[in-house]
Structure formats: C-alpha cells, structure tokens
Amino acid sequence: MAVSGSGPVVQGALLRNELVRLRRANKVTQEQVAKRLEWSASKFIRIEGGKTGISRSDLRALLTEYGVTSPTRIERLQALARGAKESAWWDIYRGEISDGYLSYVGYEAGASFIRQFQPSVIPGLLQTPEYAEVLVSGTAAPTQVGPAVKLRRQRQEELASREEPPSQYFVLDEAVIRRHVGVKKDPRIMPAQLRRLIDLAANDVNITIVVIPFSAGAHDGMTIGPITLLEFEEGLDDLLYRERGEGPSISSDDSLVTDYRDIFESLVGEALPPEESLELIAQAVEQLAR
C-alpha cells in the first residue's frame, strides 16, 4: 500500500525508485526497455526521472516486462501510482510561491524525520503568523506576504494532523532567540514567538528544540547557513535541503547528505540539552519582554 499521509510527491518518488530497482535487477538499460515496449526513449526517461506521470496501462506493461507477478507487490505499486496523481494541498500556492520551494514542501509533507539547523531565524515550522509576517514583509512583494505566511501555518497544521506525525529536531544558534524580530511593529511579537517555542517543545513529543549558546564559541553552523535533512520510511533516500544565493537546492547525493548529517550531529553536540535550552529561551523571553 501507499505510505499513509505521505502525499503525492513522496509516493511518486517511491514508485520511481522501485521501478528503477526493478530495471537494474533485470540488468537492462532505459533504451532497451523502451525498445521492447515500443516506447520512445525520451518517454521512458521522463517517467523514471519524474518529469511525467505513468498511466495504469504503462505501469502494467513495465511490471510484466520486469517479471513482477506478486499480487501484493503489484497492488502496492499501483496504489503508489494512484497516490502520485492525487492533488496536493500545496497546489493552491502555485503561481504565488516558487516551484522549487513547493517541491521541498512536497517532500517535507511525507518525511518521517525532519532535522533543521537555523543560524538566524526561527524555523518556518515553528513560527507564529505574526513573526512570519515580519520576516516575509522584509523580502517579498506585498501580494506575496499573505500566501507565504499562510503556507507556513498550513505546513505546521498538515504535519500535525498526519496519522503518524514526523519527529522534528531543531538546532538554533542563540542569535535566533536574542534578535528582537518585530520590535518596530509590535515588541510583543518576539516574546510571543519564544513562548510558542517553549510550549511546543514542552508539550509536543515529536518536537525537540535545542540552542547553541554564545558561550560555545565558533561552530560549523556559522559558515554553512540553514540546512534541513529529511528522512523517509519505505526506503526513500534521505534528502538535504539548502537555501542558497542561487535559490533552493534539494539533493539526495549520498556523500553530500552524509557530510551534512555529520555536521548536524556536531551542532547537536555543541548545543545545550533540551531542558537547558528551554531555560535559556525562557531567559530571553524575560529580557525581551521588559
């Protein structure tokens, strides 16, 4: 069966991965398969690359070509194909939010474990609407502010409503909790945001928040910028998401993901334990609220 609550992007990726494994197990090239099925090579390359969907009849032809006869396996792959064609809740933001970022949202929606390091701002999955609005207003056109803030809120709600919500682990630099974001608009915005962090970490078993204190000195996160690592069930490769000058980047390159996973773990080692991190956040609330 398809992965419950994983969304069309993840189900499509799972299907493609399975089809590629089957082809390689049969020791045939893309060109050979296309020729046997009387398809154009470009059609088959687009299917395996996720550039186009796959019809029920084409999927059946591929499974026959690969010698798949197990009814259970056939039904699972057909279910993934159906799931990959379903509409996504984030589709309503197309034209207002970049396709690159929405692609990330699609993977995030089906992740089982989300790990993120942020050196300068509260992660979007933890932001209050008021905090998000201040951040977005500084970089986006006025017409984009509403959709961007709404998307951040909906990402939070959709993950929380999943049958099995993902585990989320956030590492923040102390600068994130000290900067008085929103002070020019309403000095209550940042204290309210920090109280939300405390509430989430204290009451949601799926969310962990730790802080790297200034006293830790220099650390790897000071040069790499924000990073997000996504893990999935059902054998889908881990993904690394980075926001860089040239735009968002999503990579499943194993060596790159491994390098950044190691960096993330080193940052966890620099951070205070969860309880002490919440105490530090509480101290920041008191100082900002004065």
Side-chain angles (χ1 to χ4, degrees):
M1 296 295 113
V3 181
S4 176
S6 60
V9 171
V10 169
Q11 292 187 62
L14 287 169
L15 176 63
R16 294 192 300 275
N17 279 10
E18 186 75 9
L19 292 177
V20 170
R21 281 196 292 267
L22 285 168
R23 176 174 59 78
R24 290 174 176 170
N26 279 267
K27 299 180 180 179
V28 289
T29 66
Q30 292 175 321
E31 290 75 14
Q32 288 172 327
V33 174
K35 184 176 180 179
R36 291 176 186 178
L37 296 178
E38 298 183 346
W39 295 352
S40 67
S42 62
K43 170 184 174 177
F44 188 58
I45 291 171
R46 289 197 303 272
I47 288 175
E48 278 200 351
K51 301 299 183 182
T52 186
I54 183 169
S55 68
R56 185 180 181 87
S57 60
D58 284 348
L59 177 59
R60 188 183 304 113
L62 271 179
L63 297 184
T64 299
E65 175 67 26
Y66 295 149
V68 179
T69 58
S70 166
T72 301
R73 192 174 193 184
I74 292 173
E75 170 54 28
R76 177 180 180 276
L77 293 174
Q78 289 176 337
L80 286 172
R82 291 192 298 270
K85 294 179 181 178
E86 293 176 353
S87 60
W89 61 259
W90 54 87
D91 285 342
I92 62 173
Y93 296 97
R94 296 199 183 279
E96 297 175 311
I97 306 296
S98 72
D99 288 342
Y101 189 70
L102 290 180
S103 179
Y104 162 75
V105 171
Y107 282 109
E108 178 190 80
S112 60
F113 190 14
I114 301 170
R115 288 178 286 183
Q116 187 173 122
F117 166 69
Q118 267 291 354
S120 57
V121 298
I122 302 294
L125 290 176
L126 304 176
Q127 291 176 8
T128 64
E130 295 78 14
Y131 181 96
E133 184 176 350
V134 171
L135 288 187
V136 176
S137 297
T139 58
T143 56
Q144 296 176 316
V145 173
V149 173
K150 183 180 177 182
L151 174 59
R152 295 185 191 194
R153 185 65 175 175
Q154 191 165 358
R155 285 166 56 207
Q156 299 170 14
E157 294 172 348
E158 294 289 342
L159 289 181
S161 66
R162 274 175 45 183
E163 184 176 336
E164 294 184 9
S167 297
Q168 301 176 58
Y169 201 114
F170 301 95
V171 178
L172 312 180
D173 189 278
E174 185 173 348
V176 174
I177 67 172
R178 295 297 183 184
R179 186 173 300 280
H180 202 154
V181 173
V183 65
K184 297 176 181 178
K185 180 178 181 181
D186 184 343
R188 295 171 296 181
I189 289 175
M190 190 63 185
Q193 172 64 81
L194 295 182
R195 293 188 189 99
R196 174 166 171 76
L197 295 187
I198 295 171
D199 180 64
L200 287 171
N203 297 301
D204 191 327
V205 296
N206 295 306
I207 294 178
T208 301
I209 301 171
V210 295
V211 179
I212 301 175
F214 288 146
S215 60
H219 56 77
D220 291 340
M222 295 174 63
T223 57
I224 64 171
I227 60 170
T228 303
L229 292 158
L230 302 179
E231 291 186 16
F232 306 87
E233 296 179 349
E234 300 290 322
L236 191 62
D237 291 340
D238 294 355
L239 292 179
L240 167 69
Y241 174 77
R242 291 179 292 169
E243 295 181 14
R244 300 180 294 176
E246 60 269 30
S249 168
I250 302 175
S251 175
S252 61
D253 180 84
D254 186 61
S255 61
L256 189 62
V257 171
T258 298
D259 288 344
Y260 276 88
R261 188 186 298 119
D262 290 343
I263 291 173
F264 186 87
E265 291 306 316
S266 75
L267 295 174
V268 172
E270 296 282 0
L272 296 171
E275 297 80 6
E276 294 180 30
S277 292
L278 294 190
E279 291 176 3
L280 186 63
I281 295 173
Q283 293 173 13
V285 172
E286 293 181 4
Q287 294 177 357
L288 292 174
R290 291 172 185 168

